[in-house]
Amino acid sequence: MEYLLPGLDSAVKLHPMLVHFPIAFWVAGCVVWCYAALFAKEASWNAGLLLYTAGALTALAAGMAGYLGTWIMGHDAPGHGAVHIHRDLMLWATGLSIVLTGLAWWRLRSGRRWRLGILLLSLIQIVVMAIGADRGAMLVYKMGVGVDTSAPASEHAHE
């Protein structure tokens, strides 16, 4: 496995491999729902619902990987306090996505008013997700959480 995926040498690195899926699914689902609301397209609403469902499911996997990663890193790891902020925001985003996905499935054949309410909740969820994802990026790119700094610098040069 190390030959096939050399970057995946620990469970800590599983979280970054998974986090982009729910983000992409949620944003795409929200965009498709906006299109469906503007043009009253039933097929687009259903496509957005499938995207949101995939987002909720992959968010659960990413969240479990995140918990596993922080558990392995330990409570004394640098930046651990900021991990709690990221975790809480993403738990809210995931929870909102589960609620609105459940509502959308439950009210699958509902009228415009229900769909606009679900879309509004989706937009709120996207904002919460964006703030949480920003905190995750800050953890990695500003604080170096989960980054292995023991690798030697490359001697490769560009002309």
Side-chain angles (χ1 to χ4, degrees), residues 10-69:
S10 72
V12 174
K13 295 181 182 163
L14 186 59
H15 180 66
M17 289 182 69
L18 298 175
V19 296
H20 301 95
F21 289 103
I23 293 169
F25 285 135
W26 287 335
V27 170
C30 186
V31 168
V32 171
W33 274 349
C34 287
Y35 176 83
L38 285 172
F39 299 106
K41 300 288 187 180
E42 185 73 22
S44 296
W45 183 264
N46 294 337
L49 178 53
L50 291 176
L51 287 165
Y52 248 93
T53 302
L57 293 173
T58 56
L60 293 172
M64 286 188 276
Y67 270 108
L68 179 61

Side-chain angles (χ1 to χ4, degrees), residues 69-158:
T70 55
W71 181 73
I72 289 170
M73 289 171 50
H75 227 70
D76 298 331
H80 186 77
V83 168
H84 290 278
I85 297 168
H86 168 64
R87 176 204 62 200
D88 292 347
L89 286 164
M90 297 315 283
L91 283 173
W92 273 101
T94 301
L96 282 170
S97 81
I98 291 169
V99 167
L100 71 94
T101 301
L103 278 173
W105 278 108
W106 177 53
R107 304 298 297 197
L108 187 61
R109 301 291 172 229
S110 294
R112 185 169 174 80
R113 188 174 294 182
W114 268 98
R115 288 187 176 184
L116 289 176
I118 290 168
L119 176 58
L120 177 62
L121 186 59
S122 170
L123 292 168
I124 292 168
Q125 186 265 342
I126 292 295
V127 169
V128 173
M129 180 267 316
I131 296 168
D134 175 72
R135 296 315 182 273
M138 184 181 76
L139 284 165
V140 174
Y141 295 111
K142 284 192 176 180
M143 298 179 169
V145 173
V147 176
D148 183 6
T149 58
S150 65
S154 172
E155 296 180 19
H156 177 81
H158 291 273

